[in-house]
């Protein structure tokens, strides 16, 4: 029984082929297809407004040099947002519950921001490792602490996204299993459990959107430190 709760986090296979690639590509089908007209229908209008809003929010912390990253950060935000929301549908697989995938997104992008800073302003980037006015005896310890804090950033990004989504999916499955098990013996308690499940589902929709936004927003803040 305990193992069955975690079966939802294993990548499904079809004829020996993992379907995680299909799960990653499917959100792209929800985006509007290129057309000669800028706005095709109401859905495209809403999507265009949402893209503009997300891009504006992500670019607020960045200066003009960071606006070159707008396309990549906005695309990453939309991909994570759609994958997280589609993963809440029944009988679906959520790739962002895999730590390997989240680390594969977090580490290269964090490394890109770090290398950008070391290339454009090496003195300023290295100065972050030692706060101004630090007493001389504390310099080695603070450099080690700041270096550890810097290197742990991609791990924190990946683990935060994985842990929040995994915990939410486990709670939904546990409560839904309890509601089904209580239905024959305690129908009133089962109905109350279903009501809690609906509230939890609404909460998980909010968590899915917030975690996608936090992931990309932290990357944009890391980028701002290095440009």
């Amino acid at each position: 029984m305990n193992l069955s709760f975690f079966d939802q986090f294993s990548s499904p296979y079809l004829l020996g082929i993992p379907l995680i690639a299909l799960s990653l590509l499917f959100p792209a089908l929800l985006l509007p297809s290129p057309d000669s007209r800028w706005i095709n229908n109401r859905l495209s209008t809403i999507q265009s407004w949402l893209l503009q809003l997300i891009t504006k929010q992500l670019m607020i912390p960045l200066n003009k040099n960071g606006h070159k990253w707008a396309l990549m950060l906005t695309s990453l935000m939309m991909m994570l947002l759609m994958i997280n929301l589609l993963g809440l549908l029944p009988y679906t697989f959520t790739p962002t519950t895999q730590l390997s995938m989240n680390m594969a997104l977090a580490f290269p992008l964090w490394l890109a921001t770090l290398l950008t800073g070391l290339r454009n302003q090496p003195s300023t980037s290295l100065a972050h490792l030692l706060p101004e006015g630090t007493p001389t005896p504390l310099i080695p310890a603070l450099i080690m602490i700041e270096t550890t804090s810097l290197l742990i950033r991609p791990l924190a990004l990946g683990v935060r996204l994985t842990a929040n989504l995994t915990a939410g999916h486990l709670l939904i499955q546990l409560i839904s299993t309890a509601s089904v098990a209580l239905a024959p013996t305690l129908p009133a308690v089962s109905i109350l459990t279903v009501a809690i499940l609906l509230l939890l589902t609404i909460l998980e929709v909010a968590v899915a959107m917030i975690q996608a936004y936090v992931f990309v927003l932290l990357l944009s803040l890391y980028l701002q430190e290095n440009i």
Side-chain angles (χ1 to χ4, degrees), residues 51-96:
L51 284 171
Q52 181 181 5
L53 178 64
I54 290 174
T55 305
K56 181 179 178 181
Q57 292 297 321
L58 293 178
M59 293 300 106
I60 286 177
L62 301 177
N63 54 28
K64 291 185 178 181
N65 293 330
H67 291 179
K68 302 174 184 177
W69 293 60
L71 179 60
M72 184 175 64
L73 293 178
T74 305
S75 302
L76 178 62
M77 172 71 183
M78 293 303 298
M79 185 189 77
L80 291 176
L81 181 63
M82 290 185 180
I83 288 177
N84 292 349
L85 292 178
L86 289 175
L88 294 173
L89 297 176
Y91 304 104
T92 55
F93 172 69
T94 313
T96 45

Side-chain angles (χ1 to χ4, degrees), residues 95-205:
T96 45
T97 57
Q98 306 296 312
L99 182 60
S100 57
M101 175 190 163
N102 295 334
M103 290 300 299
L105 291 174
F107 183 77
L109 293 173
W110 165 82
L111 185 61
T113 62
L114 182 62
L115 294 178
T116 300
L118 292 176
R119 184 191 65 179
N120 296 335
Q121 45 181 15
S123 300
T124 306
S125 298
L126 294 176
H128 290 302
L129 300 178
L130 184 63
E132 186 178 357
T134 304
T136 304
L138 297 179
I139 288 178
L142 279 179
I143 290 178
M144 293 179 61
I145 293 173
E146 291 296 330
T147 303
T148 304
S149 175
L150 178 65
L151 296 178
I152 208 173
R153 283 179 174 180
L155 181 62
L157 283 176
V159 170
R160 181 187 295 108
L161 182 58
T162 303
N164 281 281
L165 295 180
T166 302
H169 287 211
L170 281 176
L171 279 175
I172 289 177
Q173 185 167 358
L174 287 171
I175 294 178
S176 60
T177 303
S179 63
V180 173
L182 292 173
T185 56
L186 298 171
V189 178
S190 178
I191 294 175
L192 179 61
T193 308
V194 171
I196 296 175
L197 179 62
L198 292 176
L199 295 177
L200 181 61
T201 303
I202 296 174
L203 177 63
E204 283 305 308
V205 171

